[in-house]
């Protein structure tokens, strides 16, 4: 019990004491109320003070927050220092939602037809009631965590008698974590919640704590959290398939060939994870990148073991990368390293005016081994008179190896005529050509009715000269 002293009025008001006692009787956690008693009373400070009115007409009132709680009229007799009860009130005060409450208390009385004591009043006085424990405010062992990993939820309960129901909401999903919880509970958010955020690596959710006192729900508090999709949750695909796009290469070699093959490439079996979808593809091969799931590559420039790398990106920005290795056979076009012509006799003996020619050839083609050698070398020698249109094939042979070194004696080629020659080396894919000229037979001079040849048989005009001409204009 506590007490507030008031002030009395009248000629001798100072000779009287007025009090308002206020008492907190009890508090109800369940109802969020305080039970209080207010008692107003007065008495003279000395036995010689004799104010009284024996008619029951003297009013009194006790108020809370300016509202009268009890009032009445009564006899007031202060003789002999008697304690005069001026009313009392007992009742429940409802607290705010947070359990706090402050009230204003006051009281007054009047004694009529008496000049020495006309009345008095107490207050208003501000009384802050003890806070009643209310909703528990939950906290988390971590406010940001991977889905599928355990966390601890603390209730921070205000009263040891409180129990709690713990609930969650995340991405439109909700559920009850536990009931009858005291101080804390462990929770492993299901990894399946990742399906609720298919386009993000994390999302926001709430933990709700319903506080109960006995069987009565006091209220609910919440705490926000961030649920993250674990870094291990990524999209996937089976493999990268590859096959020859160029039918000619597939038929002739059955293996990938540098500068000839083009590959059909495809990422297969792609799938998102926990709700994500595939948003991007990338295939890298032979120094080039392609932004699609399927593609036909450019002509292969490299050779040896080459890596094909596939990459997919999902709606969370997560990626999956896989690589396969393919072998590409090195290839270059056939080479001619030597092609010479020499007039000779039929047995190959050099003769500047012979009507046969010794053709010396050197060259090679690339090896294309797929279990067995798939390439071969064919060479052809063709000739025609200079100025003629049509070529005549004089030699066409496929040799057993990949390198050509040798010579052929071909005839006949009149000494009075020069001839154009082609050497062709042919493999599975390409023909390389070299050109040479067999001149007329070499003589110091030859003349006829139409002209003179110097250093060669005349073929054209009046004077046909092989080599440089020197003239001395001096005397």
């Amino acid at each position: 019990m506590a007490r507030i002293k008031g002030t009395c009025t009248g000629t001798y008001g100072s000779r009287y004491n007025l009090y308002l006692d206020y008492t907190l009787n009890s508090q109800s956690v369940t109802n969020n109320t305080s039970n209080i008693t207010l008692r107003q009373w007065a008495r003279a400070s000395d036995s010689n003070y004799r104010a009284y009115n024996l008619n029951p007409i003297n009013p009194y009132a006790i108020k809370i927050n300016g509202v009268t709680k009890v009032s009445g009229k009564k006899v007031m007799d202060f003789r002999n220092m008697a304690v005069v009860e001026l009313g009392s009130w007992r009742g429940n005060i409802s607290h705010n939602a947070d359990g706090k409450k402050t009230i204003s208390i006051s009281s007054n009385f009047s004694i009529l037809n008496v000049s020495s004591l006309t009345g008095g009043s107490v207050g208003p006085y501000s009384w802050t009631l003890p806070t009643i424990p209310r909703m528990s405010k939950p906290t988390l062992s971590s406010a940001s965590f991977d889905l599928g990993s355990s966390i601890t939820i603390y209730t921070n309960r205000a009263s040891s008698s409180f129990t709690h129901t713990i609930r969650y909401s995340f991405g439109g999903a909700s559920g009850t974590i536990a009931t009858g919880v005291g101080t804390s509970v462990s929770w492993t958010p299901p990894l399946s919640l990742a399906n609720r955020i298919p386009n993000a690596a994390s999302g926001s959710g709430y933990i709700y704590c319903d506080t109960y006192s006995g069987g009565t729900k006091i209220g609910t508090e919440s705490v926000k959290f961030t649920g993250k999709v674990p870094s291990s949750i990524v999209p996937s695909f089976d493999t990268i398939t590859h096959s020859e796009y160029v039918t000619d290469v597939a038929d002739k070699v059955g293996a990938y060939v540098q500068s000839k093959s083009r590959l059909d490439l495809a990422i297969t079996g792609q799938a998102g994870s926990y709700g994500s979808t595939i948003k991007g593809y990338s295939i890298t091969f032979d120094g080039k990148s392609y932004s699609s799931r399927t593609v036909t590559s450019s002509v292969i420039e490299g050779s040896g073991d080459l890596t094909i790398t596939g990459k997919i990106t999902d709606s969370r920005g997560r990626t999956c990368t896989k690589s396969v290795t393919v072998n590409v056979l090195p290839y270059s076009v056939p080479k001619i390293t030597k092609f010479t012509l020499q007039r000779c006799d039929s047995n190959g003996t050099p003769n500047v005016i012979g009507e046969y020619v010794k053709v010396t050839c050197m060259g090679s083609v690339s090896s294309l081994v797929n279990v067995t050698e798939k390439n071969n070398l064919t060479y052809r020698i063709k000739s025609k008179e200079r100025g003629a249109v049509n070529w005549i094939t004089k030699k066409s042979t496929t040799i057993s190896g990949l390198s050509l070194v040798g010579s052929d004696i071909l005839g006949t080629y009149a000494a009075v005529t020069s001839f154009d020659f082609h050497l062709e080396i042919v493999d599975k894919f390409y023909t390389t050509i070299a050109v040479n000229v067999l001149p007329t037979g070499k003589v110091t001079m030859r003349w006829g009715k139409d002209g003179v040849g110097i250093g060669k048989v005349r073929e054209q005009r009046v004077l046909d000269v092989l080599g440089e001409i020197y003239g001395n204009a001096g005397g």
Side-chain angles (χ1 to χ4, degrees), residues 138-351:
T139 57
L140 308 176
S141 58
S142 175
S144 179
F145 49 84
D146 283 348
L147 300 175
S149 298
S150 177
I151 64 164
T152 301
I153 304 166
Y154 301 98
T155 61
N156 303 299
R157 61 185 179 177
S159 171
S160 61
S161 66
F162 288 174
T163 59
H164 311 85
T165 294
I166 307 299
R167 301 176 290 112
Y168 76 89
S169 67
F170 183 84
S174 61
T176 298
I177 296 171
T179 59
V181 177
T183 58
S184 65
V185 65
S186 293
W187 179 50
T188 300
L191 190 54
S192 59
L193 289 177
N195 288 300
R196 296 288 177 167
I197 48 172
N199 302 319
S202 64
S204 295
Y206 288 88
I207 299 294
Y208 299 96
C209 178
D210 302 326
T211 303
Y212 288 84
S213 176
T216 301
K217 182 178 177 179
I218 295 174
T220 301
E221 290 282 356
S222 65
V223 60
K224 188 176 182 180
F225 69 87
T226 298
K228 300 182 292 184
V229 180
S231 59
S232 59
I233 302 302
V234 297
S236 63
F237 65 93
D238 293 337
T239 190
I240 310 163
T241 61
H242 51 89
S243 60
E244 181 63 72
Y245 171 77
V246 182
T247 303
D248 189 47
V249 176
D251 293 344
K252 291 178 178 179
V253 182
Y256 302 147
V257 178
Q258 182 184 17
S259 76
K260 292 298 175 184
S261 291
R262 298 177 66 192
L263 302 192
D264 280 330
L265 305 173
I267 294 173
T268 63
Q270 67 280 358
S273 183
Y274 286 92
S276 72
T277 54
I278 306 304
K279 295 297 186 181
Y281 297 89
S282 172
I283 298 177
T284 302
F285 173 60
D286 194 33
K288 298 178 178 65
S289 293
Y290 309 93
S291 298
S292 59
R293 189 186 71 82
T294 62
V295 69
T296 299
S297 74
S298 301
V299 174
I300 300 174
E301 297 177 356
S303 64
D305 288 336
L306 302 183
T307 300
I308 306 169
T309 299
K311 179 181 178 181
I312 62 173
T313 303
D314 73 0
S315 51
R316 293 191 181 99
R318 303 280 177 85
T319 62
C320 175
T321 302
K322 290 184 179 180
S323 296
V324 296
T325 300
V326 295
N327 183 263
V328 179
L329 301 178
Y331 175 78
S332 59
V333 299
K335 297 177 182 178
I336 296 175
T337 55
K338 187 174 184 180
F339 177 35
T340 61
L341 306 173
Q342 184 181 37
R343 283 189 176 273
C344 63
D345 296 332
S346 60
N347 61 3
T349 301
N351 183 348

Side-chain angles (χ1 to χ4, degrees), residues 252-255 329 367-376 428:
K252 291 178 178 179
V253 182
L329 301 178
S367 175
L368 298 173
V369 176
N370 181 17
V371 181
T372 60
E373 181 61 65
K374 301 298 182 179
N375 208 1
N376 54 38
K428 289 284 187 180

Side-chain angles (χ1 to χ4, degrees), residues 383-389 391 417-421 435-440 459-460:
S383 65
K384 67 179 180 66
E385 287 189 17
R386 301 213 76 187
V389 175
W391 291 91
T417 304
S418 58
F419 295 85
D420 292 327
F421 276 76
V435 178
N436 208 341
V437 177
L438 178 68
T440 58
E459 293 182 275
Q460 55 189 344

Side-chain angles (χ1 to χ4, degrees), residues 46-47 49-50 77-82:
D46 188 282
S47 60
Y49 305 143
R50 302 164 55 83
D77 186 353
F78 290 93
R79 293 174 294 181
N80 299 316
M81 296 182 66

Side-chain angles (χ1 to χ4, degrees), residues 445-467:
M445 180 180 289
R446 183 167 181 172
W447 60 90
K449 65 178 182 177
D450 295 321
V452 177
I454 299 176
K456 65 185 290 293
V457 175
R458 188 194 71 82
E459 293 182 275
Q460 55 189 344
R461 306 299 173 93
V462 176
L463 181 63
D464 191 355
V465 178
L466 177 64

